[in-house]
Amino acid sequence: MLKPVLRLISAGILLAAAAFSQENVAIRVNASQTVGPYKPISGYFGYDEPNYTYAKNGQKLVAELGKLGGPVYIRTHFMLATGDGASGYKWGSTNAYTEDAAGKPAYDWTIVDRIIDTYIKAGAKPFLEVGFMPQALSSHPDPYKPDWKPGDNFNQYYLGWAYPPKDFAKWGELVSQWAKHEVAKYGRAEVESWYWEVWNEPDIGYWHGTPAEYDQLYDYAADAIKRVLPTARVGGPASTGPNAGRAAAFLKQFLEHCDTGKNAATGAVGAPLDFISYHAKGQPQVLEGHVRMGISKNTADAAVGMQIVASFPKFRSLPIIVSESDPEGCAACSARVYPQNAYRNGPLYASYEAVMMKNMFELADREKTNIAGMLTWAFEFEGQPYFEGFRTLASNGIDKPVLNLFRMAARMHGDRVTLESSGAIPVAAIQANGVRGAAPDVDGMAVSSARELSILVWNYHDDDLPGAETPVQLQISGLPAAAKKLTLRHYRIDATHSNAWTAWKNMGSPQQPTADQYKTLEAAGQLEELKPPSPMAGGKEVNLDFRLPRQGISLLQLSW
């Protein structure tokens, strides 16, 4: 009992010390100084288990994502995997491709259609991951389906679905038939707005082939799609965090292949490439009884990937989609089994994502690259206990605080304008060391449109420990002359706002909430205003003061 007591005492001392030492943070926004466009890079989501898409709570969540506005893109694994469509941890299937005894292919798009129809109905768009290998095409078909659960060894996970095809021409024909089906079903204009990403993380166990064999897989898939729809957007390689040497080498060799390599499908030089994707992950840990986030690794992965892209003049301006950007690498690894993942239910996850969103913009500005998407690998797990600790956006249909961060981001429109904060930690320092000193990162982003100014402010620290509220003094200048009468709306995510997890705990953590309790939780999971909208006078300078809790996020919107 001694260590827990000491930790509680230490936390209390930290809280008391912070309360006396916390300094005011001055934030200055100039609405007339444009930094660059504000692109909806946070409107990208994904998950391992495709068959959850059309489950009860899956459909509910997809509908919520579609309401973000956007567009919103959704990516999932196992779109071509063989099986009966049953869901499992890090598993799913569509049975899109089979062969008869003579090796003749048969195509069945029934489950694929259920997935994509769910997206389209909700107003979202597919970010189609072209994978994994059907059993009948796999060069190592048995064993095929994994039986993995949290805590199991991953060596038993990457089975027959992760191998190269036994026949690359048949692989190309499968992808061609898929593209033809989608164009026939949804029309050329609609499919032109989708993304086609070939495979996932082919530099690790998701691909039991060589880099050259992945390039060949890509060539056949890209050629197949382009023959059906020359204007389709095709890209890859969706490799892992390039801050690691092996992953960096893989991304470089792929770009070299697309630039000057021999195309295995056509014999031409190079391969079609409309966007570039790779992944960036953090690395949380348990330190002295609390979770410490690893945002420095997430930032470094993103940065090194952009530097690699920038080193290829032919591809420097292509859209970059970080098609998995997360605090760590396994959504299905619940906090009950992996305690370093205990950040997932509360506002810490939301504030982390806010910092990473700004980091992505600033890194792209620094490296002069074109960031287009930052995809959050989180969805929902059907039939699991409430707030079990999976990396999800919702639990049993109840939205988590992190989803409200994406609601905030979706409300911002226009151009990024200058924001300077006395409490900011520069992106280079976050990349090198994270946010681990005595002071948190109290910073923000400002976005201005013709009739509105949006300011997102956060109070983030890697260490999930109590901390004092930070007094924020916000000074706004550069508003247009027409902004004489303003309306202020102030949205908030913290321990008690936009936070269904806290509401659930206050109920006694029921695993079978009543109908009334469920309605209360649904409401608590929505984005909440700190106070009702209020009128304000405009002018050359507008000043706002508020207090922001540790790991809290505010969105202040001034409209006129």
Side-chain angles (χ1 to χ4, degrees), residues 75-393:
R75 171 184 187 255
T76 183
H77 292 341
F78 296 105
M79 287 292 285
L80 297 176
T82 302
D84 58 6
S87 301
Y89 294 115
K90 292 179 68 64
W91 170 254
S93 60
T94 65
N95 222 40
Y97 179 94
T98 54
E99 293 182 359
D100 64 16
K104 181 180 179 182
Y107 306 98
D108 184 347
W109 306 110
T110 304
I111 295 177
V112 170
D113 286 349
R114 289 189 72 184
I115 295 166
I116 296 178
D117 284 348
T118 303
Y119 300 158
I120 300 297
K121 180 180 177 181
K125 291 184 179 292
F127 189 101
L128 292 176
E129 183 187 300
V130 185
F132 292 120
M133 195 58 61
Q135 188 170 17
L137 262 184
S138 175
S139 57
H140 189 92
D142 295 305
Y144 185 79
K145 179 183 176 181
D147 184 19
W148 182 92
K149 63 182 183 300
D152 285 354
N153 191 323
F154 273 94
N155 291 334
Q156 305 304 314
Y157 175 68
Y158 304 111
L159 302 177
W161 54 267
Y163 279 81
K166 62 185 181 183
D167 185 324
F168 279 92
K170 280 189 173 181
W171 161 257
E173 183 59 23
L174 164 60
V175 178
S176 175
Q177 290 295 327
W178 188 10
K180 288 177 183 177
H181 174 77
E182 301 305 347
V183 170
K185 183 172 174 62
Y186 296 105
R188 297 177 69 87
E190 173 61 30
V191 179
E192 282 175 338
S193 69
W194 302 358
Y195 291 95
W196 299 75
E197 181 187 47
V198 181
W199 215 256
N200 173 74
E201 298 186 347
D203 56 311
I204 61 170
Y206 283 93
W207 179 247
H208 283 312
T210 65
E213 286 174 318
Y214 169 75
D215 296 342
Q216 187 176 1
L217 183 92
Y218 182 89
D219 290 346
Y220 274 89
D223 176 64
I225 296 164
K226 290 289 191 179
R227 281 189 284 108
V228 173
L229 185 63
T231 51
R233 296 187 289 189
V234 182
S239 50
T240 59
N243 192 40
R246 178 180 175 182
F250 189 96
L251 179 58
K252 288 177 184 176
Q253 73 81 29
F254 171 74
L255 295 176
E256 289 167 355
H257 173 76
C258 290
D259 188 6
T260 60
K262 182 177 179 180
N263 191 300
T266 67
V269 174
L273 187 62
D274 301 299
F275 67 92
I276 299 164
S277 65
Y278 60 88
H279 297 168
K281 303 283 186 175
Q283 195 170 32
Q285 58 184 302
V286 175
L287 179 72
E288 298 178 352
H290 72 274
V291 173
R292 168 175 275 189
M293 304 300 282
I295 200 169
S296 60
K297 181 182 180 299
N298 202 160
T299 307
D301 280 348
V304 174
M306 292 184 193
Q307 290 162 5
I308 291 171
V309 172
S311 70
F312 288 82
K314 183 176 180 179
F315 301 136
R316 182 174 200 140
S317 63
L318 284 184
I320 294 172
I321 299 172
V322 183
S323 58
E324 292 182 26
S325 176
D326 303 293
E328 35 68 38
C330 176
C333 296
S334 71
R336 187 181 298 274
V337 181
Y338 304 88
Q340 68 270 26
N341 294 337
Y343 70 88
R344 293 167 164 182
N345 288 329
L348 172 55
Y349 188 7
S351 61
Y352 179 105
E353 291 297 329
V355 178
M356 276 308 306
M357 181 169 63
K358 183 174 185 180
N359 287 351
M360 289 291 184
F361 280 116
E362 292 197 346
L363 292 172
D365 292 343
R366 187 180 80 185
E367 306 300 337
K368 296 181 173 57
T369 53
N370 178 14
I371 185 66
M374 164 188 146
L375 190 146
T376 295
W377 197 253
F379 191 59
E380 69 103 12
F381 283 82
E382 199 78 11
Q384 296 294 328
Y386 280 77
F387 298 100
E388 176 71 358
F390 295 104
R391 192 171 71 236
T392 53
L393 303 174

Side-chain angles (χ1 to χ4, degrees), residues 383-407:
Q384 296 294 328
Y386 280 77
F387 298 100
E388 176 71 358
F390 295 104
R391 192 171 71 236
T392 53
L393 303 174
S395 176
N396 287 287
I398 304 301
D399 297 340
K400 290 185 176 183
V402 67
L403 183 50
N404 285 313
L405 181 276
F406 299 121
R407 290 187 173 115

